[in-house]
Amino acid sequence: MKITPILTQLREQCPTLGQRVAAGFDLATLQAEAPLQTPCAYVLPTADIASKNAAQNVTLQAVRDRFDAVLVLDATDATKALDLLHDLRAELWRALVGFKPGAEYTGVEYDGSELVSINSSRVLYRLRFFAEFQLGRNLASQPAESWHERELDGLSSFTGATVRVDAIDPADPNLKRPGPDGRVELTFSGDVTP
């Protein structure tokens, strides 16, 4: 998942953060001193989880892209920091839950949160989110998303077929057992026009 749409959404929809939203974070640095003025948020992709392929002859997998938003708050007044944390958590939900980070994604969903660390100067609180997309195209006219689709795109187009039928019945009395006798009883063709 591209991180830029998430950063833009948080900068535009979270007034309490006042544009103080950046990508990535180094936990040790944030615990000592945040590069941005507090309160601020750092966003980073954390993992993707793919389901098993749902089809036998094409690629069709649901992929869950996970990302974290880490809030950094001033903890000199712990009560004030924890109250602000409650308000900021709700602000992040309003900004992200249901937001689509790209045309191929479902809306973002909330996946829980946890306290990362707290000391006399900083509170770090992680909120986990995810959005899903499908790996594997829906239409042959869409660009290939897997090796199998690229391989299929390289095949020549199907233009038609000719079928020759050697029927089992009526059975040839000269054969010891009934079955196809090698004589074609029926031939037909079909052309495919796109």
Side-chain angles (χ1 to χ4, degrees), residues 34-188:
L36 298 175
Q37 179 186 358
T38 59
C40 61
Y42 291 87
V43 180
L44 73 154
T46 55
D48 66 31
I49 302 167
S51 66
K52 287 185 74 170
N53 195 5
Q56 292 181 351
N57 59 346
V58 295
T59 301
L60 194 63
Q61 284 184 274
V63 179
R64 178 177 285 191
D65 268 347
R66 298 176 67 190
F67 66 94
D68 288 351
V70 177
L71 293 171
V72 182
L73 309 173
D74 181 0
T76 52
D77 182 345
T79 303
K80 185 178 174 185
L82 294 174
D83 285 345
L84 179 59
L85 173 63
H86 180 79
D87 294 339
L88 278 171
R89 183 178 66 163
E91 204 168 282
L92 262 67
W93 289 339
R94 284 190 299 271
L96 293 176
V97 175
F99 169 70
K100 291 185 177 183
E104 67 278 12
Y105 283 92
T106 62
V108 170
E109 294 184 45
Y110 179 62
D111 196 27
S113 61
E114 63 191 349
L115 181 66
V116 175
S117 71
I118 187 168
N119 59 31
S120 60
S121 63
R122 297 269 182 267
V123 173
L124 273 67
Y125 195 80
R126 174 184 299 142
L127 292 96
R128 295 182 307 276
F129 297 92
F130 68 88
E132 293 181 344
F133 69 95
Q134 175 184 294
L135 176 59
R137 62 186 175 198
N138 290 318
L139 302 171
S141 60
Q142 296 173 328
E145 295 182 2
S146 68
W147 172 253
H148 184 246
E149 291 171 350
R150 287 181 71 190
E151 197 171 36
L152 291 176
D153 288 350
L155 297 175
S156 61
S157 297
F158 177 69
T159 57
T162 300
V163 178
R164 293 178 182 86
V165 179
D166 179 3
I168 292 176
D169 285 325
D172 187 339
N174 298 322
L175 296 175
K176 291 187 180 184
R177 50 187 172 171
D181 58 8
R183 292 179 301 197
V184 175
E185 284 86 21
L186 177 66
T187 300
F188 61 92

Side-chain angles (χ1 to χ4, degrees), residues 25-42:
F25 73 93
D26 172 26
L27 188 57
T29 303
L30 293 180
Q31 287 173 322
E33 179 181 342
L36 298 175
Q37 179 186 358
T38 59
C40 61
Y42 291 87

